[in-house]
Amino acid sequence: MIYLDHAATTRVRAEVRRAMAPALDSVFGNPSSAHAGGRAARALVDAARDQVAAALGARAREIVFTGGGSEADNLALRGVAQAQGERPGHLVVSAIEHEAVLETARALTDAGWALTVLPVDGAGRVDPAALAPALRKDTALVSVMLASNEVGTVQPVAELARVTREHSRALFHTDATQALGKVPIDVAALGVDLLTLSAHKVYGPKGVGALYVRRGVALRPQVTGGGQERTRRSGTENVPGIVGLGVAATLAAAEQASEQPRQRALCDRLRALVLAGVPSALATGAEGAGRLGNFATFAFPDVPGDLLLVRLDQAGVLASAGSACASGSVAPSHVLLAMGLPPTVAAGGLRCTVGRETTEAEIDRAAAAVVEAVRALRAPVPA
Amino acid sequence: MIYLDHAATTRVRAEVRRAMAPALDSVFGNPSSAHAGGRAARALVDAARDQVAAALGARAREIVFTGGGSEADNLALRGVAQAQGERPGHLVVSAIEHEAVLETARALTDAGWALTVLPVDGAGRVDPAALAPALRKDTALVSVMLASNEVGTVQPVAELARVTREHSRALFHTDATQALGKVPIDVAALGVDLLTLSAHKVYGPKGVGALYVRRGVALRPQVTGGGQERTRRSGTENVPGIVGLGVAATLAAAEQASEQPRQRALCDRLRALVLAGVPSALATGAEGAGRLGNFATFAFPDVPGDLLLVRLDQAGVLASAGSACASGSVAPSHVLLAMGLPPTVAAGGLRCTVGRETTEAEIDRAAAAVVEAVRALRAPVPA
């Protein structure tokens, strides 16, 4: 098996599993318990909060642990919107956001919120010049992801956040789920007010994420109860998961500079091999540093993406059409369509995302499998 | 250390850790991925869903996995309320609900919902006769927990659900977080529409729970995005956690009949020893089968509960005042106050909750420690 779907999820790395083990066994207390068993668990949560904060250049108090990236996105959008008071306002998101942002923004329109969806260019990049005219007096939040989960395009978030600050009173949220460990992240340099993280994209466990909430940002909690996470997210803390996120985020940030050039070289090799083998193929997304180093994405005109994936799966190459979250859907990717690809091309999308264990030999075998599968799907059907 | 705080949380049992291990390692795929790696993860989630459904007498499609019991309670209350349409209606909860229900019901009153809080008797039991008069034409939901997390009192949920059905069109939700594995649970026999579970109270991992949602019940999702859990709760599934919940729920249901009499005997012994050693002590909660077998709860008049817990902690006995979720609060338990205890008595509450590893020798040592701590706290301060 050649696993080229690291943007969908990753295997929990050994360092993370080892760190989680005590919290699944001896340090099993409820962090809210005042006794020794509770305090030991609380210490693990505190240490993980420090780790996540350090990975982002944030303060520990600004980190809210959640049940995952989608919950963090929902908390950012719903929490900011509902904290604005009775009267619905205006939101701005990009056309290529993850469903957890797009669907949540659409759900808020049911409650009377106005929504502007920013377009992207052919590389999947939001144009900062398009943002200023979209901002209104009642814009409460702008949400643009740090890097696309479908084509890996890095967005000009620092610039978008600056435009937002200069032209409105809106807060700025970015979903950094795909970007963590791939590009440097510093919340102050980015100038964002809220930032979403997920553990399982960076070799941490599923079921845990975090939302950075800049000090002073008003946020309505979405899960109420015992008042954990400084009342911003109630529920007994997922101690093993939080410990895993802390270690995974630390390692992702620490290894980014050394690991990403290697992964980028693998992806450049994959792109070159596939484009050489299938001359009509398009490499989607941005070029060079405009794209996360672990993404190699394609569109094959007149090739059904779902059948391509089945063939690759049979050949032992695990990849995806777009985001895993939207799999099962037969519609072409909303991201590729927003980038201006015709539906017949967007329907033939392929996302290959490499990881820390991916080797050059795997890339060569995967490229051959892709080329062979595309050729087979295009071969004339025998009469 | 003698751990008598099993109602706060439990240690993940070995069978559960073993079952979770593959999902933290080799079976790491995203269940939404169509390829072999995704299908293997999906199969684990499906099997766990079958297990949880079987433990409740429910259908697999009626189980929604969440990030824990608090999230499940929130989904039940907010989800039902928001699915009723534009006009706010009426909710009924008991005075002794967990904060995840009580605080959420109060939060809904900010959105215009009317709320009736049902009283309890001296044993902490809701009187079914008080329910019918509380029901209104616009009552959307009644939520009464299956067993109290503070004193273990089992509520007459089947009767309350029947009264609700006969006198209103309201749905019925019960939080069964403490009850699972302690009393038999069958959603059809109980006649409930929604039921909350949590894994970490039954030797499963923290960070995962479930909401039973009877077929046909309309529920507004609280986390939107990729559409997982049949659109009722988006976000990549916490596969290891869900696997752990499946096994933990299965074992809890299977061992309940054999294990609970043993735990009840331990708690009866603890009660007898403490009441003999401290004649002024009150045993709180209901008697016999009216109380979960793993609860032994007390109130010590004129003894500061927080200082009592500190002394017990120093003696190696880990217990709690009320719920762990409310620890850190200095206010007397809302549950003991609702049961009619005066504040000076309610402030001296002690909750001891035993588990599958608790021994008779531990009980005898814990009883001696409690008696000694109470006597020391009551001793006249030397002049």
Side-chain angles (χ1 to χ4, degrees), chain A residues 5 8-9 11-12 24-25 28-30 32-33 35-36 39 74 78 104 206 224 226 237-238 313 319 324-325 327, chain B residues 5 8-9 11-12 24-25 28-30 32-33 35-36 39 74 78 104 206 224-226 237-238 313 319 324-325 327:
Chain A
D5 206 7
T9 194
R11 184 197 298 256
V12 181
L24 284 166
D25 187 11
F28 70 89
N30 187 321
S32 295
S33 295
H35 54 59
R39 294 194 303 271
N74 274 256
R78 296 176 191 270
T104 303
K206 294 175 179 64
T224 48
E237 296 88 344
N238 174 1
D313 188 12
C325 308
S327 289
Chain B
D5 206 7
T9 194
R11 185 198 296 257
V12 181
L24 284 165
D25 187 12
F28 70 89
N30 187 320
S32 295
S33 295
H35 53 58
R39 292 194 306 272
N74 273 257
R78 296 175 191 268
T104 304
K206 295 174 179 65
T224 46
E237 296 87 343
N238 174 358
D313 189 12
C325 307
S327 289

Side-chain angles (χ1 to χ4, degrees), chain A residues 126-158:
Chain A
V126 175
D127 180 2
L131 176 56
L135 295 169
R136 305 186 347 189
K137 225 171 144 173
D138 65 342
T139 305
L141 186 71
V142 177
S143 182
V144 178
M145 66 204 321
L146 196 42
S148 163
N149 60 314
E150 293 210 19
V151 292
T153 301
V154 179
Q155 303 297 334
V157 163

